[in-house]
Amino acid sequence: KMVDPTLAEMGKNLNEAMKMLEDNQRKVEEENEKKYARKDIPGPLQGSGQDMVSILQLVQNLMHGEEEEETSQSYRLQNVGEQGHMALLGHSLAAYISVLDRERLRKLTTRILSDTTLWLCRLFRYENGSAYYHEDDREGLLKICRLVIHTRYEDYTLEGFNVLYTKQPVIYISSAARTGLGQALCNQLGLPLSCICRVPCNTMFGSQHQMDVALLDRLIKDDVEFGKLPLLLVANAGTPGAGHTDKLGRLKELCEQYKMWLHVEGVNLATLALGYVSSSVLAATKCDSMTLTLGSWLGLPAVPAVTLYRHEDPSLSLAAGLTSSQPVEKLRALPLWLSLQYLGHDGIVERIKHASQLSQRLLENLKNLDFIKTSVEDELSSPVVVFKFFQEYSNRDQTSHTAQASTIQHPIISNERHIYDTFNQWLGEQLAQLVPASGVDVVELEDEGTCVRFSPLMTSAVLGTEIQDIDQLVDCLKMKIPVLTSTLQLREEFEQEVRRTVGLLYIEDLAWPGLGVVRYNYHSDGKNDDKQEKELEKINTELLKKLNELESDLTFSLGPEFGGQKNCVYIGMVTEDLDVSELVETIAATGREIEENSRLLENMTEVVRKGIQEAQLQLQKANEERLLEEGLLRQIPVVGSVLNWFSPFQASPKGRTFNLTAGSLESTESMYVSKAQGTGSTPPPTPTSSLAKQRLPGQKAFKRSLRSSDGFSETSSISHCDDLDKLDPRPPNLSPGQEQGPLEVERAEEQEEVAQAKTDTEDIHSDKLPPDCTKGEDQASQR
């Protein structure tokens, strides 16, 4: 059959546009020519217009921006696939179909709507259902609420909200539901927030993420006694956080008892398309309505969400907005209609099954890992895996911990909870960065705290997650667990070492994922707060710079950009071979050195100023003495020159030198007599820190040797000294007990300088001797 040329052209243009948008290999010449397109400054509309290629190039530049490092958006585009192209083609076809004549448009939209509804109802085991297609996933629940209000309040169409005054409607929502869902419903329906009742989850028995059915029954009875009307219950088949399913069977019985509407939503509804479905999720097929988000489950871009419902009165459905008499409204299902046909029944089931297999693969690997705690409702069929790092009573004796009073236990447990939340936040961010194709994210749960969540039904179809990505995720997790355990164990030791060290202040920051936070205390001498704060900032900034210059595996930083402590050094994650005492002593010694240098620079200004004034006075006095020695005639310009020519006046230049070490003025006369300044005081040698110990080849700073315990018993110190001897061999002419120390080397150098100075002095004196004396000495030497 002949294809409509308009449809063929539309498909061709769509393919060309997608290829151009997905092509990230742009040439440098094109970037230089079209740099103006990257700017966010809006420009005037061109009068002559632009071609499609230029417009698509502009769209591409705006999509990717100037940050080439962020490849997540381009990665998502590359995994759209042909089924995604079909969904995008549906939007173009909807615009083209909308211009058809009214009769053809009605027939086409009716066929599209009926086919899509039939396929979805059979696929997800929802018999005799109707479908409402919407862009916002909350819009379907909003329309259902309006339908229930029209159904329970017969005069609502005529009297409106006046009928609600007699019996206030109540909508029950689980405390584990999406954040802000109840408030959004009240805002759109025009109801007060008192119409929303949040039902707590189980606390004693069952999952802590499931709605407490017994408590819900009591709440409904109380509302009925107060003259309220229980209207609707929103249950979860897969909570947004942990992916747990409420007891839908019991909830359905409770709703039938009080004539309430049961609406179900959640990611676990996708498993209804599989051959094996858990009984808890299968009970969702008996509910009054459910919302399906097929776009994320199947990796289809820009397809609407679907709300399946059962209702017998089409007029009330029309009044609630679930159906529309406008044919254009029915074209929302067109992208989904095309994509479902392209995938087919087997393709849809295969994608959902693949996501479930990914969850099972990760869960099996997590069971074999130490210090990893999982929170899974059903280990056989749960499509959502939530796990966290947990080490019970780390660095504490369990018996002593239990023996503490309850008043002391609460702060300790609270601090541990915050520390684990911080560490798991870091773990989730690291895993997401190292394995971006896994789609893991960080979630905050009410009871478990911060956890890492893997929900492949929401991410795998878009990101293209495969089995090897899960294996890579597990390998990265195995590498991070020793770092977490070592940091958690050494954290308390680091705190104790810092508190014992003079000059250091331990800063407790439970939100920092690392070894800890330390600040060097500046000893102020009666300075005001502003100057002391500036000096403290200067010293700790210089301390951070010095620590980063060391060759170590540690990361030193100023902390987080927002919410961190000021003028502190933040130390990141560490390994088990860290020498905490050496680290703390190095920080303290470096801080003291910086403080001493800072104080020296502060006193230098005053010392130099006084020295300059004293030097000026001495030089002025020396000039007066020189005038007296030369006489008055030598000061006359012409006469003085003639007199100096006939009778030169020999006078040694007299200057002044300022010794910064001794803080005193000295004459420069000795500098003109000898080549070396032998009379000045030698500055004291720079003290070497005891921490600058020799390390083995390739060993970085703050590392302690990880030898066996036997090696450290009696022979460990000897073997270590032997290693150091190999690194620093002695000269061959010295015995092992006659090794020169730094003080002896300095004395030898001083003796050589003094001998050299004497030789130079003798040369100078010999130059000043008369010629006869020199000849006599030569003759004596010849004899």
Side-chain angles (χ1 to χ4, degrees):
K1 296 181 180 180
M2 295 296 295
V3 183
D4 189 347
T6 307
L7 295 178
E9 186 68 20
M10 184 182 304
K12 180 181 177 182
N13 292 338
L14 178 64
N15 290 332
E16 293 179 356
M18 290 304 300
K19 289 180 180 179
M20 186 174 299
L21 291 177
E22 291 177 355
D23 185 16
N24 292 328
Q25 303 298 330
R26 288 166 291 187
K27 298 181 180 180
V28 180
E29 294 80 10
E30 295 177 355
E31 292 181 355
N32 294 333
E33 292 175 0
K34 299 185 178 182
K35 277 187 176 179
Y36 68 91
R38 291 172 173 260
K39 298 180 180 179
D40 296 332
I41 302 175
L45 181 63
Q46 297 186 8
S48 58
Q50 301 183 38
D51 56 354
M52 187 181 67
V53 177
S54 301
I55 297 175
L56 290 178
Q57 184 68 38
L58 174 61
V59 174
Q60 179 186 2
N61 294 335
L62 293 176
M63 287 170 57
H64 298 286
E66 297 184 359
E67 299 181 359
E68 297 293 339
E69 298 178 354
E70 298 181 359
T71 58
S72 58
Q73 295 181 358
S74 61
Y75 186 79
R76 294 173 70 94
L77 283 176
Q78 291 175 1
N79 287 277
V80 166
E82 294 185 2
Q83 75 280 358
H85 291 180
M86 295 299 297
L88 299 178
L89 180 61
H91 291 276
S92 302
L93 283 176
Y96 173 69
I97 294 174
S98 62
V99 300
L100 297 176
D101 58 273
R102 189 174 184 83
E103 185 64 22
R104 290 185 179 181
L105 181 60
R106 185 185 62 81
K107 291 181 179 180
L108 183 57
T109 54
T110 303
R111 173 63 185 274
I112 293 173
L113 197 62
S114 60
D115 285 350
T116 310
T117 303
L118 178 62
W119 297 338
L120 292 177
C121 288
R122 289 184 177 180
L123 187 64
F124 293 98
R125 309 183 185 194
Y126 197 80
E127 300 177 355
N128 302 325
S130 303
Y132 172 65
Y133 304 89
H134 46 92
E135 303 297 334
D136 189 359
D137 54 357
R138 296 177 299 183
E139 188 179 354
L141 178 58
L142 175 63
K143 301 294 185 181
I144 291 296
C145 291
R146 289 178 178 173
L147 174 63
V148 180
I149 291 176
H150 278 280
T151 304
R152 300 297 303 273
Y153 295 94
E154 298 179 357
D155 298 333
Y156 182 77
T157 306
L158 299 176
E159 299 184 10
F161 289 98
N162 292 326
V163 298
L164 304 180
Y165 292 149
T166 57
K167 278 192 174 184
Q168 179 180 341
V170 181
I171 300 175
Y172 299 91
I173 297 178
S174 172
S175 59
R178 287 180 292 172
T179 305
L181 179 61
Q183 185 176 1
L185 291 177
C186 290
N187 293 337
Q188 295 297 324
L189 297 173
L191 298 176
L193 292 178
S194 58
C195 294
I196 299 296
C197 178
R198 295 181 61 86
V199 183
C201 295
N202 296 323
T203 55
M204 299 296 295
F205 305 101
S207 171
Q208 296 181 348
H209 302 279
Q210 290 180 346
M211 191 183 302
D212 193 339
V213 182
L215 182 58
L216 173 64
D217 190 9
R218 292 197 298 268
L219 292 175
I220 295 176
K221 289 180 180 179
D222 295 341
D223 291 335
V224 172
E225 293 178 358
F226 281 102
K228 297 181 181 180
L229 180 63
L231 194 67
L232 182 139
L233 172 64
V234 181
N236 292 299
T239 55
H244 290 202
T245 303
D246 292 327
K247 300 176 181 179
L248 300 179
R250 295 184 58 187
L251 293 178
K252 179 59 180 177
E253 296 174 358
L254 199 62
C255 289
E256 290 177 351
Q257 178 182 351
Y258 293 99
K259 298 180 180 180
M260 295 171 57
W261 186 284
L262 178 60
H263 178 82
V264 181
E265 60 181 18
V267 68
N268 293 351
L269 292 175
T271 59
L272 290 172
L274 301 178
Y276 169 77
V277 186
S278 62
S279 58
S280 58
V281 180
L282 189 60
T285 58
K286 305 299 181 182
C287 66
D288 298 303
S289 61
M290 65 170 64
T291 298
L292 311 174
T293 55
L294 297 171
S296 57
W297 299 349
L298 304 178
L300 303 176
V303 297
V306 185
T307 296
L308 302 178
Y309 64 97
R310 296 189 185 99
H311 200 266
E312 299 177 355
D313 193 347
S315 61
L316 294 181
S317 300
L318 181 62
L322 289 170
T323 58
S324 176
S325 59
Q326 299 295 329
V328 180
E329 294 290 334
K330 300 178 182 180
L331 289 176
R332 290 181 181 176
L334 181 57
L336 192 57
W337 183 71
L338 295 175
S339 301
L340 293 178
Q341 291 186 90
Y342 182 84
L343 290 174
H345 183 277
D346 296 339
I348 296 172
V349 174
E350 183 62 29
R351 283 177 176 263
I352 298 176
K353 184 179 180 181
H354 175 68
S356 300
Q357 291 175 351
L358 294 177
S359 298
Q360 295 303 313
R361 181 63 173 265
L362 178 61
L363 185 59
E364 292 174 0
N365 289 307
L366 292 179
K367 291 179 181 178
N368 301 326
L369 296 180
D370 297 331
F371 310 114
I372 293 296
K373 180 181 179 182
T374 59
S375 175
V376 182
E377 179 186 16
D378 188 0
E379 295 186 353
L380 299 177
S381 62
S382 178
V384 180
V385 179
V386 177
F387 61 94
K388 62 181 293 187
F389 167 75
F390 184 76
Q391 186 178 7
E392 189 174 3
Y393 299 130
S394 61
N395 274 341
R396 291 188 178 91
D397 189 7
Q398 188 169 356
T399 47
S400 63
H401 187 275
T402 2
Q404 291 177 345
S406 59
T407 55
I408 306 178
Q409 282 183 358
H410 291 299
I412 295 178
I413 296 176
S414 177
N415 289 346
E416 285 187 351
R417 169 72 178 267
H418 282 88
I419 292 175
Y420 279 114
D421 288 348
T422 302
F423 277 39
N424 283 284
Q425 176 81 22
W426 177 85
L427 177 61
E429 294 174 354
Q430 289 291 313
L431 294 177
Q433 182 179 0
L434 295 174
V435 193
S438 63
V440 295
D441 60 348
V442 180
V443 62
E444 296 285 342
L445 301 180
E446 184 176 357
D447 297 316
E448 287 84 355
T450 305
C451 299
V452 184
R453 178 179 58 184
F454 176 65
S455 181
L457 278 173
M458 303 298 293
T459 59
S460 64
V462 177
L463 299 177
T465 311
E466 299 294 339
I467 294 294
Q468 54 266 26
D469 297 324
I470 303 303
D471 297 338
Q472 183 182 358
L473 180 67
V474 175
D475 293 339
C476 293
L477 187 59
K478 291 180 180 178
M479 292 189 301
K480 296 300 178 182
I481 289 178
V483 177
L484 291 169
T485 55
S486 302
T487 306
L488 192 61
Q489 292 173 358
L490 297 176
R491 191 179 176 107
E492 185 175 356
E493 180 183 352
F494 175 75
E495 177 181 354
Q496 295 175 358
E497 287 289 340
V498 172
R499 294 188 185 278
R500 286 196 298 260
T501 305
V502 180
L504 296 182
L505 177 65
Y506 180 80
I507 305 298
E508 187 175 10
D509 191 351
L510 302 178
W512 172 248
L515 184 64
V517 187
V518 64
R519 174 187 296 164
Y520 183 80
N521 269 340
Y522 174 69
H523 304 286
S524 59
D525 300 331
K527 298 182 180 180
N528 52 23
D529 295 339
D530 295 338
K531 190 172 182 181
Q532 182 179 355
E533 186 72 19
K534 292 180 180 179
E535 197 66 30
L536 184 65
E537 179 181 1
K538 180 180 178 181
I539 292 178
N540 283 276
T541 303
E542 186 67 21
L543 175 61
L544 175 63
K545 181 180 177 181
K546 295 286 187 182
L547 293 175
N548 284 324
E549 292 176 356
L550 300 176
E551 295 183 0
S552 66
D553 294 332
L554 301 182
T555 56
F556 304 95
S557 64
L558 293 175
E561 185 177 359
F562 302 102
Q565 297 285 339
K566 294 183 178 180
N567 306 328
C568 296
V569 177
Y570 285 75
I571 306 173
M573 293 289 179
V574 299
T575 53
E576 60 179 353
D577 56 350
L578 174 69
D579 193 341
V580 178
S581 59
E582 180 188 355
L583 172 63
V584 175
E585 291 177 7
T586 304
I587 295 176
T590 308
R592 287 192 295 268
E593 181 181 355
I594 295 174
E595 181 182 2
E596 293 174 359
N597 294 338
S598 176
R599 290 190 174 184
L600 178 62
L601 292 177
E602 287 181 359
N603 300 330
M604 189 67 66
T605 305
E606 184 67 21
V607 173
V608 171
R609 186 180 63 82
K610 293 182 178 179
I612 292 176
Q613 293 178 354
E614 184 179 356
Q616 289 177 348
L617 295 176
Q618 293 184 8
L619 291 176
Q620 184 178 0
K621 184 177 180 180
N623 288 332
E624 295 177 355
E625 294 176 356
R626 183 177 59 84
L627 291 177
L628 294 177
E629 293 178 1
E630 294 179 356
L632 183 59
L633 292 178
R634 295 183 183 271
Q635 308 305 319
I636 302 174
V638 179
V639 178
S641 301
V642 175
L643 187 59
N644 288 332
W645 184 71
F646 280 105
S647 176
F649 180 80
Q650 299 292 336
S652 60
K654 296 181 180 181
R656 296 293 184 271
T657 60
F658 186 74
N659 193 332
L660 294 178
T661 305
S664 60
L665 282 174
E666 299 176 359
S667 176
T668 59
E669 186 176 359
S670 59
M671 298 178 59
Y672 297 96
V673 177
S674 61
K675 295 181 180 180
Q677 184 180 358
T679 58
S681 60
T682 304
T686 304
T688 58
S689 175
S690 61
L691 301 174
K693 62 180 183 182
Q694 290 179 308
R695 292 187 289 269
L696 299 175
Q699 183 180 3
K700 296 186 178 181
F702 317 126
K703 295 288 184 180
R704 52 184 173 86
S705 178
L706 293 178
R707 299 181 183 178
S708 60
S709 57
D710 297 335
F712 277 103
S713 56
E714 296 179 357
T715 60
S716 61
S717 59
I718 301 177
S719 61
H720 186 65
C721 293
D722 293 341
D723 294 337
L724 295 181
D725 294 341
K726 295 179 181 178
L727 294 176
D728 189 14
R730 296 181 178 87
N733 57 346
L734 293 177
S735 61
Q738 294 178 347
E739 184 179 357
Q740 287 185 343
L743 186 59
E744 296 176 357
V745 174
E746 292 178 0
R747 290 177 178 175
E749 292 178 355
E750 291 179 1
Q751 292 176 1
E752 293 179 359
E753 292 180 358
V754 172
Q756 182 66 26
K758 291 181 178 179
T759 306
D760 296 339
T761 307
E762 292 176 357
D763 293 341
I764 295 173
H765 287 302
S766 63
D767 294 340
K768 295 182 179 181
L769 291 176
D772 297 337
C773 296
T774 307
K775 292 180 181 180
E777 290 179 356
D778 293 339
Q779 294 175 359
S781 62
Q782 290 176 1
R783 287 197 299 267

